[in-house]
Amino acid sequence: MPRQTKPTEQTLPQQTLVVDNGAFTIKAGFVKSEPQLEDCLVVPNCLARDREKRVWVGGQLDKCQDFGEIAFRRPVEKGYLVNWEAERAIWNSVFFDKGATLKCDPHETNLVLTEAPNAPAALQSNCDQIIFEEFEFASYHRCLGPSLNAYHDVAHLFGAPARSILQSDGPAALPAECLLLIDSGFSHTTVTPLFKGRPIQRAIRRLDIGGKFLTNYLKELVSIRHYNMSDETYLINEIKETVCYVSNDFKHDLEVTWKGAPAKSEKVPSDGRGIVVDYVLPDYNANKHGFMRPHDPSLTAKMRKLGALAGGGGSTEDFMTLGNERFAVPELLFNPGDTGMKQAGLPETVLQSLSGLPPGLWPAMLANILVVGGNANLDGFMERLEVEIRQLAPVECTVRIARAPDPIRSTWLGGAYMAADLSKLKSVQVTRQEYQEYGSAWLAKVFSGAIER
């Protein structure tokens, strides 16, 4: 029989750092007694090299003036942290280097770090070793990012009176009993049912479409129809965030914007003008960012595009006219088959997740659906998702869907609420001394819930 020794109780440092290590950005900040979104710092999680061969690390990217042909190297691929060499450089610039925004001494800091569901065990073990053996944090808790959202005041998101998040006796910091968490981020979209803050592993479902996939699809469409944008990932991502929306009537919008549509569909010009827009491209001299404006079909606009007015003292500008690209790209979240992917859309994925749960939990889960992640900011996304889930859900179940007030920083804030409850924090953190005594295999069992502490 293996030795069953209860780990000795350790005193945790006063300072706690919560890091939501996303594929597109890192959301990080120190925990205060009353956490606020303003305490969270959002840093690009990438190394970037511009056309002048200068390398920008993490938050340095905000100082870059020319994003033309900029190339990115990201430590997180398909949602999982696979490149610690790049991640180390980014973390050093944010947490450890002289002048770092969130500079800390890891020996005096507790770390709460998120990961995506169903991460390979080898990557988890590698992460644990680097945290304790290289960075040497005093204590550490690795958890699924979606699970931290259960520490929000979920009832308040659905219209109930707000409660005090932190109370002296602690019950307000307890996680929501039932929550169905949809996280649509950069790498993928996951559906995670949570019961009392713990994920129900067998019911987690993943859709391999996220912001990166949508950006690449838009890049392909624009490169075929307008300009070759194969090296302009940053610009295309900006265009996607500015102009794209989820259509509530895909067939109608497609018919209105189709150039070969019959005359009867062109009798609704207001719809066409509302959908078709011009996106003025940045020149990275006077304008660092592009912008959207209503479509101008006049000859003057076409001449401006060709630069014909330049000789007369007029301004020149480059722009693209975007029509069905605006809604055809986000449509992939609901119909991945449009690109040949053999996966169900997001509403069907939600129902597949519910099928892995006891039917008795369905009403509570459907009545508490929370959406986080950058794609939740797409116009029309929430309305379309709610309509389609209602169509698929059992008639007797009430469907309620809410978007987090800040979908991008929501996971970090949930982790800050959890870590601000000292008794809860003490129950989940593993100290470096315990790791050295019991090893990485024991640590993996603790984080997976196989060992109760």
Side-chain angles (χ1 to χ4, degrees):
M1 288 289 292
R3 182 165 56 98
Q4 300 289 333
T5 306
K6 185 177 180 180
T8 55
E9 194 169 316
Q10 303 290 327
T11 302
L12 298 181
Q14 296 296 315
Q15 182 170 260
T16 301
L17 176 66
V18 176
V19 179
D20 179 17
N21 207 77
F24 190 68
T25 56
I26 296 173
K27 284 72 68 176
F30 296 115
V31 176
K32 297 181 180 179
S33 57
E34 295 185 6
Q36 304 288 336
L37 281 172
E38 292 71 26
D39 302 330
C40 177
L41 176 70
V42 180
V43 180
N45 194 10
C46 64
L47 304 178
R49 187 180 65 183
D50 61 21
R51 55 179 128 204
E52 303 297 329
K53 307 301 182 184
R54 178 174 178 180
V55 176
W56 305 86
V57 179
Q60 297 174 0
L61 195 62
D62 296 336
K63 301 176 183 177
C64 180
Q65 297 298 318
D66 184 356
F67 292 99
E69 300 179 9
I70 194 165
F72 293 95
R73 181 183 180 192
R74 299 190 182 276
V76 179
E77 293 288 342
K78 298 184 183 298
Y80 306 124
L81 181 49
V82 297
N83 187 344
W84 266 106
E85 180 184 353
E87 195 65 86
R88 185 185 296 110
I90 298 168
W91 277 33
N92 283 338
S93 70
V94 179
F95 305 127
F96 308 123
D97 286 350
K98 184 178 180 181
T101 314
L102 295 174
K103 186 170 177 58
C104 66
D105 177 5
H107 298 97
E108 299 295 331
T109 305
N110 309 307
L111 176 66
V112 177
L113 179 65
T114 66
E115 64 174 356
N118 299 321
L123 295 180
Q124 292 177 326
S125 177
N126 186 40
C127 177
D128 297 340
Q129 290 176 22
I130 289 175
I131 294 299
F132 273 135
E133 297 179 14
E134 183 169 336
F135 292 123
E136 299 182 353
F137 277 92
S139 74
Y140 163 58
H141 175 54
R142 171 172 48 78
C143 60
L144 296 191
S147 65
L148 295 179
N149 288 278
Y151 291 90
H152 286 285
D153 187 356
V154 175
H156 180 57
L157 295 176
F158 292 100
R163 60 165 167 79
S164 174
I165 295 296
L166 299 175
Q167 296 176 347
S168 57
D169 53 356
L174 292 176
E177 186 171 25
C178 288
L179 182 65
L180 188 64
L181 198 286
I182 300 174
D183 185 354
S184 186
F186 183 71
S187 298
H188 57 252
T189 299
T190 56
V191 181
T192 309
L194 302 168
F195 184 72
K196 295 184 177 179
R198 292 195 174 189
I200 303 175
Q201 195 65 36
R202 66 179 181 274
I204 296 177
R205 296 293 182 271
R206 169 176 167 139
L207 173 62
D208 291 322
I209 292 183
K212 180 180 180 179
F213 192 98
L214 300 183
T215 299
N216 288 337
Y217 185 56
L218 179 59
K219 186 196 302 182
E220 184 178 324
L221 294 181
V222 169
S223 296
I224 293 172
R225 300 177 184 180
H226 301 282
Y227 303 105
N228 181 9
M229 293 284 189
S230 56
D231 294 328
E232 300 291 350
T233 303
Y234 183 90
L235 175 58
I236 292 294
N237 190 68
E238 276 200 333
I239 295 174
K240 178 196 72 177
E241 293 177 351
T242 303
V243 309
C244 284
Y245 72 94
V246 176
S247 172
N248 285 325
D249 191 342
F250 180 77
K251 290 184 178 179
H252 173 265
D253 286 355
L254 193 62
E255 185 177 340
V256 168
T257 56
W258 184 37
K259 291 182 179 179
K264 61 179 181 180
S265 67
E266 295 174 0
K267 291 181 181 179
V268 240
S270 59
D271 282 348
R273 281 200 297 267
I275 295 173
V276 180
V277 298
D278 291 337
Y279 187 87
V280 180
L281 301 171
D283 58 13
Y284 298 121
N285 291 317
N287 298 314
K288 183 179 176 181
H289 302 284
F291 60 91
M292 178 179 69
R293 69 181 181 202
H295 176 52
D296 181 1
S298 69
L299 179 62
T300 305
K302 294 178 182 177
M303 292 175 66
R304 231 175 18 233
K305 179 176 182 179
L306 296 173
L309 298 180
S315 61
T316 62
E317 61 184 19
D318 235 347
F319 67 89
M320 297 186 299
T321 300
L322 300 173
N324 58 30
E325 299 95 337
R326 295 186 64 198
F327 56 86
V329 171
E331 184 68 18
L332 297 181
L333 287 165
F334 296 85
N335 290 292
D338 289 353
T339 59
M341 288 188 68
K342 295 183 179 179
Q343 281 191 285
L346 182 52
E348 292 83 1
T349 303
V350 170
L351 268 293
Q352 289 176 6
S353 175
L354 289 176
S355 68
L357 301 174
L361 286 178
W362 285 34
M365 291 294 180
L366 285 169
N368 295 281
I369 302 177
L370 180 62
V371 184
V372 301
N375 295 327
N377 288 322
L378 287 168
D379 288 341
F381 177 83
M382 295 297 296
E383 294 80 0
R384 171 81 175 274
L385 183 61
E386 184 170 0
V387 167
E388 296 205 2
I389 291 179
R390 284 184 189 276
Q391 293 173 348
L392 297 173
V395 180
E396 63 273 13
C397 293
T398 300
V399 176
R400 299 189 306 172
I401 302 181
R403 175 171 51 200
D406 188 325
I408 293 175
R409 294 183 289 179
S410 175
T411 297
W412 178 89
L413 186 59
Y417 286 146
M418 183 273 290
D421 181 351
L422 297 180
S423 61
K424 178 65 178 177
L425 180 67
K426 199 170 184 179
S427 69
V428 298
Q429 292 290 115
V430 174
T431 65
R432 186 162 177 263
Q433 182 177 337
E434 289 174 330
Y435 170 77
Q436 291 172 335
E437 184 175 353
Y438 297 99
S440 58
W442 173 85
L443 184 66
K445 291 179 180 179
V446 170
F447 289 154
S448 67
I451 295 180
E452 292 288 342
R453 301 178 66 239

